[in-house]
Amino acid sequence: MPTNQPTHQPIAALPVQELRQGMIVDAEQLHPEVLAEIKDSRAIARYRTKQVSTKLIVLSQDCDIANPNESIVELVPAKVLNENQERKGRERKFDKPSNYGKLIVRFGGEYLELDAGMISAVEKATLSAPLNFLGELDDREQRILIDWRVGRYNRKPFPDAFNRLFKKFFEEQGLWDFLEQRCDEVSDVWVYVSPEGEEQAAQYDVSVTVEIDQKCPAHVHNEVHEKLYSALKTLHEVTGQDPGIATLNFGQISGDWIFGLPRCTVEITAMSEDISLFDIQFLRTYNTAFACYPD
């Protein structure tokens, strides 16, 4: 039986040192004192009274688990959702690593909900008895899991006045759906904003660059360019005409830059090989988690 299919019977009983990231452990077989330790090992006090779900997912990186000098293993309970809960969670995009509090991952035909507040850093010594291994997340779901945790810390915030307008516009115009449908060709979305440190500036210089994979067919590249150009032109014009909101000046559309020409690429689309380390000093990746993991 594939290990990424749900099972209520353990595939194997493994010592903690042989666990790997993304593995699913049967929590029902754990002794009450172990479950109590898992609850007490949560960082946020108000979560320590919540019960441990029937499944636990291993978060720790493989080398840390195997390293005898690393005494901790991170686990997160996985709540099995019913059909109604799964539908509501997916409507709120919990199945994409864009909400850093909750995430839904697929385990075969099951949908599992993870809550960041429930993560436990458990002493390996507490898990001295072999653990019943139920399976593991597939590659797609493991990437989502890792992006969910890394993204909580590894992202620079955008100015609030810019971000609210930009995010709402992308969603209303269906641009996330458009990019999601071309996830094999679109590698990332890079954004330049100036002034980057002013939360409520009256106006911002902005550029958006969609990074295109080297293998992208020319017609798809052109389609992405045309779609983004049209959308950014609209946002440039709308914000420029409304005195009640910040002006988003897309210099790549207007040819004019309020705060001076950026030192990085300002192309609407660019091949991966054309995004340099120098560019990354000035550009910030936008949260493309909506688009990177199509259904």
Side-chain angles (χ1 to χ4, degrees):
M1 180 179 191
T3 57
N4 61 352
Q5 294 298 318
T7 174
H8 299 289
Q9 299 299 320
I11 296 171
L14 301 175
V16 64
Q17 293 83 1
E18 293 184 19
L19 294 178
R20 293 296 178 261
Q21 190 174 65
M23 280 188 172
I24 297 172
V25 173
D26 180 10
E28 292 185 300
Q29 55 91 31
L30 298 176
H31 292 295
E33 59 269 24
V34 174
L35 293 174
E37 183 65 26
I38 290 173
K39 291 165 62 177
D40 289 343
S41 299
R42 294 169 184 158
I44 303 174
R46 61 187 171 87
Y47 283 92
R48 294 174 192 153
T49 59
K50 295 180 179 292
Q51 297 301 310
V52 178
S53 302
T54 57
K55 292 180 171 68
L56 291 165
I57 296 181
V58 180
L59 288 178
S60 294
Q61 197 264 353
D62 294 358
C63 294
D64 289 340
I65 298 171
N67 184 353
N69 297 317
E70 177 59 60
S71 65
I72 297 294
V73 61
E74 287 193 356
L75 305 169
V76 61
K79 174 185 175 182
V80 180
L81 300 180
N82 60 37
E83 185 175 337
N84 187 50
Q85 291 170 328
E86 176 260 318
R87 177 182 57 80
K88 289 182 178 179
R90 286 164 60 82
E91 286 175 356
R92 297 179 65 184
K93 298 289 187 180
F94 287 163
D95 59 328
K96 307 293 172 71
S98 53
N99 179 305
Y100 298 103
K102 287 191 177 182
L103 179 71
I104 293 175
V105 293
R106 289 183 289 197
F107 179 45
E110 290 183 343
Y111 286 85
L112 309 178
E113 182 181 85
L114 316 182
D115 187 326
M118 299 283 279
I119 294 172
S120 297
V122 184
E123 291 284 347
K124 290 178 184 175
T126 301
L127 306 172
S128 56
L131 302 166
N132 286 344
F133 161 54
L134 296 176
E136 59 191 330
L137 301 178
D138 63 24
D139 289 345
R140 175 190 185 274
E141 302 304 310
Q142 285 202 48
R143 290 197 304 273
I144 289 176
L145 180 70
I146 293 168
D147 280 355
W148 179 57
R149 296 308 302 143
V150 171
R152 190 173 183 89
Y153 308 104
N154 188 30
R155 68 193 198 280
K156 287 184 66 176
F158 288 96
D160 183 67
F162 157 79
N163 197 45
R164 289 178 184 273
L165 289 171
F166 187 75
K167 183 175 183 292
K168 182 180 179 182
F169 181 81
F170 249 60
E171 292 172 351
E172 290 180 346
Q173 296 294 314
L175 292 175
W176 289 128
D177 293 334
F178 174 81
L179 293 175
E180 182 173 303
Q181 293 162 12
R182 292 151 187 82
C183 64
D184 292 332
E185 292 83 23
V186 174
S187 300
D188 216 331
V189 176
W190 297 93
V191 176
Y192 169 84
V193 181
S194 179
E196 65 176 3
E198 294 188 24
E199 293 295 315
Q200 300 296 329
Q203 51 191 6
Y204 295 94
D205 276 339
V206 184
S207 78
V208 177
T209 299
V210 175
E211 181 182 343
I212 302 293
D213 185 84
Q214 302 301 125
K215 298 178 182 178
C216 177
H219 74 279
V220 176
H221 190 157
N222 292 336
E223 183 182 35
V224 172
H225 187 281
E226 290 172 6
K227 179 74 171 180
L228 265 292
Y229 180 90
S230 175
L232 299 180
K233 185 173 184 291
T234 298
L235 187 56
H236 173 88
E237 293 171 350
V238 168
T239 62
Q241 295 168 1
D242 188 341
I245 58 177
T247 296
L248 304 187
N249 174 57
F250 290 87
Q252 57 195 155
I253 303 295
S254 66
D256 298 320
W257 298 92
I258 300 168
F259 301 103
L261 180 67
R263 298 171 63 191
C264 54
T265 182
V266 292
E267 300 298 326
I268 291 177
T269 55
M271 306 302 286
S272 294
E273 65 180 10
D274 297 324
I275 304 292
S276 68
L277 291 175
F278 182 80
D279 288 326
I280 295 173
Q281 294 181 53
F282 301 95
L283 299 173
R284 281 179 274 176
T285 183
Y286 204 77
N287 184 359
T288 51
F290 287 108
C292 292
Y293 296 104
D295 296 324

